[in-house]
Amino acid sequence: MSFTKNLGKFEDDMRTLREKRTEPGWSFCDYFMVQEELAFVFEMLQQFEDALVQYDELDALFSQYVVNFGAGDGANWLTFFCQPVKSWNGLILRKPIDMEKRELIQRQEATLLDLRSYLFSRQCTLLLFLQRPWEVAQRALELLHNCVQELKLLEVSVPPGALDCWVFLSCLEVLQRIEGCCDRAQIDSNIAHTVGLWSYATEKLKSLGYLCGLVSEKGPNSEDLNRIVDLLAGLGAERPETANTAQSPYKKLKEALSSVEAFEKHYLELSHAAIEMHTSIGRTRSARLVGKDLAEFYMRKKSPQKAEIYLQGALKNYLAEGWALPITHTRKQLAECQKHLGQTENYLQTSSLLASDHHLTEEERKHFCQEILSFASRQTDSPGHKIVLPLHCFAQLRDLHFTPSNAVVHVGGVLSVEITMCSQMPIPVYVEQIAINVHFSIEKNNYRKTAEWLTKHKTSNGIINFPVETSPFPASQNNLPALELYEMFERSPSDNSLNTTGIICKNVHMLLRRQESSASLETPSGVALEDGAHVLKCSGVTLEPGANRITFRTQAKEPGTYTLRQLRASVGPVWFVLPHLSPRVQYDVYSQEPQLHVEPLADSLLAGIPQKVKFTVTTGHYTVKNGDSLQLSNAEAMLILCHAENRAVIYSNTREKASDVSLRVQSSDKVTSISLPAAPAYHMIEFELEVLSLPSAPVTGGDSSTLGVTEPHRKHKDTQKAGYCMATTDHKVSIDCPWSIYSTVIALTFSVPFRTTHSLLSAGTRKYIQVCVQNLSELDFQLSDGNLVDTGSSGDLQLVPLNTKTPQHIYSKQSVFFVWELKWTREPPPSLRCQFSVGFSPASEGRLSIPLKPYTYEFQVENFFTLYSVRAEILPPSGTEHCRTGSLCSLEVSITRLSDLLEVDKDEALTESDDYFSTKLMYEVVDNSSNWAVCGKSSGVISMPVAAQATHRVHMEVMPLFAGYLPLPDVRLFKYLPHHSAHSSQLDADSWIENDSLSVDKHVDEQLDSGSIKSRGSVHSASSSEHKGLPMPRLQALPPGQVFNSSTGMQILVIPSKDDHVLEVSVT
């Protein structure tokens, strides 16, 4: 207990003494002795860790005072350690305690090196007791670097070379001390801890050699010898503990400084050992750095062949990792080495790289550029082999511009290629020739590549940009990850004040990892010059520093694809070559056949009015001569209009207007001749002509009619449902061209602007024909002189127009109606053939140069005479004034024959009795609007006499379902045709009507054409004429023109019942 108590009291006294360090008169040496006594106590107790802590605290305390001194806050006692260094015998690690240096510290006479040497020797002893020899090496390297900095901070006077001697001896002392307590296997496996000391020792020995003249050609001079003597004197006498050691640090240093040969031996031994150690543990950068120093040594020794391999290795490493300044410095050394070795090509390549290196001064760059020019001028008189160098170190290709811009030219045409080269040289350089090697190829389908195809598949601006090489580093350097930098702060644990701050890179292991390659990154180019028949050349060019524009011109001779492969510039025998142009650069040469292209100027050609058509003649390789003409065969329904003055424009292949000349057009009955103006090859002749598609008698069809068409395009039903489209007509024209023995057939499609329909209207026995003209085009037209004639030339029939005689304006997508009344004096014919014609012209244009033929439409009307009149009447129940909902009302249907026997009545339904003819009709009452409920039979068959004013009445009961003004139910009439069978006379007519399988057309209004009404007797199939073995009758719908329903449109008032709670009113 008493020991612990006394030890604690001692520690308290020591802390009290340390806390007084800010007071005047406080001495670090006295405090050092006090705390070292505590360390001795722990060491005697074999508490080596605690003892080491005491020395570490003293080390940290002293280092902090030195740092503060450098910042201007110095303690008085530090002046004892600022005295000049007079002894530099290195660390002493073979004694447990260096009593000599301890006494100097105790007497306050120790220098900085003495204090550091003693302090580290004690730390080393304790670390070895703790079996931590590798920490000794780590601490030793830190100590040596720190001592160098501390001497500078304290401004201690140190003789030149003294500090190098002290570091060299200390490194070897630490290494030998570690070797003395470890076996060889341990040392080999822990090279990473000791290789730093080997490198440091090598560096300091190199500094001593340069300082003492041991590396120069002539050896050390008298001044160098005096310096060697002074340095050896500062070492003092060798210590007794190493006197018997053959390879002690003292003996090695003394021997190395004794002669040039000895220095070279020891320096090479240390350098090779350091390189081998760095390489074995994967520290390639450090090995290259030592090798670079070794190369510098060999250059001093006039052995460039030995220096080259180390310089190449260092340059390879710097290029792989992108160290710009080391690359420049190493290249300068390598250039000197190559010059001494006579490696002309390598030297010129390195010189060109240095001449373009902006890290050098302007004078240095000019020097290396002049080296290239001097070599080129010397070889001009005695030409020898060509020296090929890469172009990027001389100049860079920035962009390329084609003229014409699409890089397409015809045979015989001129192509211009303008390149922009950025010279890397610091002075203007005269280039004898700049050439581009061109590879010619003919593709398999090259004959299909016309000018139009090539223009669509080539770039429009004609400018191709090349990537700019911003640095001499390989592409792998650009793939390195981004720096991950983070701020670092260290604060005091007591008052949280900021002590230190800095930046930490967290992915340094990714950035500094090895990037080796099997071959050197900078070797002789080995680029071969391509020879070929196609070369673009430009001679006598002076490249100024910066951007230069060079223009090549060539005349196309053979069609095909030309690829620009290699760019080269010659300065005497030195050729700077860019082996491949990337991206790929091509231009095409084509040979085009003459072509004729005809297209309308508008979106669609309209029939009936003059329309402009554009003719384009592409001459190709053919030269149009005076007298050449186009011979057009005239189509029957299409005219080519000839005007007094037609113009033709001649364009070059690049759409530049060459001339504007008159065009002569001559037309006969069968041929139209167009005289072409003279034009050179690969030009275009453009002119416009007017064509007119003549109206002709159209083919009657459905509910619309078109102009006469030779090849009508039938539209799909779905298209007609969505909206009507203009009918089209194709006119084919055969054209004979002067450059071909074959005729060219073109087809012009005309659209009919109108759609015409007709309908038959009835008012009792009076008949009217209505014609509807619908404008489907986007133009407005003026209609005039609408006329309808009977082409059957029936003199007893008159068509009385009910139309205005003034011209009518028909707008786009609008319709105009024309109406005529039919009048006849005798029995009308069963059918009527009509032709409608109307004059038309565009409303927006003035007077036309030629008269236009009218638009015609032919149609046929059958069975238009009224045979029957149907009248329906609903009577309210007896005793009431109006019909009521839910009450039965009487429906009376009157069917009246309006004429005697006519030709249209003679069919199967007609029967002859003694006095008159009769026919069977079927009536049917239908209410499609569901306003009435028909009670009882809604249909029946009647025998109708074929005599004027013969009337048949049918009575039935109906019930109104809604209140209001209700339209009357529909009454339909059908012809009742008997079945041709032996059993037909035995069957009652009513049994036929009640049969479900009666063949009747219920939707006759939807199936019949409202304008062209024909017999439908053949429409009904006889396949359903029998049902269950019984003969079935047939029904034939009467055409709408033969039946007039006078009740159509009539309404009757229906009032609601009195007991109805809900009033329902039907309004129609």
Side-chain angles (χ1 to χ4, degrees), residues 571-633:
V571 182
V574 182
W575 288 75
F576 296 94
V577 178
L578 180 63
H580 301 288
L581 271 63
S582 178
R584 188 168 61 173
V585 182
Q586 291 180 333
Y587 67 89
D588 291 277
V589 178
Y590 66 93
S591 175
Q592 188 178 9
E593 295 295 327
Q595 292 181 351
L596 172 64
H597 186 62
V598 182
E599 59 180 352
L601 290 182
D603 293 337
S604 63
L605 297 174
L606 295 180
I609 59 176
Q611 298 284 279
K612 288 188 176 181
V613 177
K614 179 180 178 182
F615 287 73
T616 302
V617 177
T618 304
T619 61
H621 60 76
Y622 180 79
T623 301
V624 180
K625 303 175 291 296
N626 289 323
D628 288 345
S629 63
L630 300 178
Q631 304 292 328
L632 281 69
S633 61

Side-chain angles (χ1 to χ4, degrees), residues 170-191:
S170 299
C171 289
L172 295 187
E173 179 70 15
V174 174
L175 291 172
Q176 290 187 1
R177 186 72 181 90
I178 293 174
E179 290 176 358
C181 60
C182 298
D183 56 22
R184 175 51 56 184
Q186 289 178 313
I187 294 174
D188 292 341
S189 60
N190 290 276
I191 291 177

Side-chain angles (χ1 to χ4, degrees), residues 307-322:
E308 184 186 17
I309 185 172
Y310 293 106
L311 291 174
Q312 288 284 9
L315 182 60
K316 169 185 173 182
N317 188 250
Y318 296 147
L319 284 171
E321 298 178 1

Side-chain angles (χ1 to χ4, degrees), residues 1027-1043:
H1027 181 69
K1028 298 181 181 180
L1030 297 177
M1032 296 301 298
R1034 294 178 297 123
L1035 296 181
Q1036 177 179 321
L1038 289 171
Q1042 293 184 354
V1043 179

Side-chain angles (χ1 to χ4, degrees), residues 400-410 412-418 438 536 551-557 562 564 585-589:
L400 182 146
H401 180 235
F402 281 111
T403 304
S405 59
N406 58 2
V408 178
V409 66
H410 57 80
V414 176
L415 179 78
S416 175
V417 181
E418 184 183 70
V438 182
L536 305 180
T551 303
F552 303 87
R553 287 182 176 83
T554 181
Q555 185 173 16
K557 295 181 180 180
Y562 293 79
L564 277 59
V585 182
Q586 291 180 333
Y587 67 89
D588 291 277
V589 178

Side-chain angles (χ1 to χ4, degrees), residues 468-510:
V468 180
E469 295 184 15
T470 56
S471 64
F473 310 139
S476 61
Q477 183 67 18
N478 300 327
N479 299 328
L480 292 177
L483 287 172
E484 295 181 10
L485 299 178
Y486 296 90
E487 295 180 345
M488 181 269 297
F489 301 97
E490 287 188 2
R491 298 186 179 275
S492 173
S494 58
D495 57 356
N496 199 31
S497 61
L498 183 64
N499 289 340
T500 59
T501 182
I503 296 177
I504 297 177
C505 179
K506 290 192 174 182
N507 63 338
V508 66
H509 62 288
M510 297 292 294

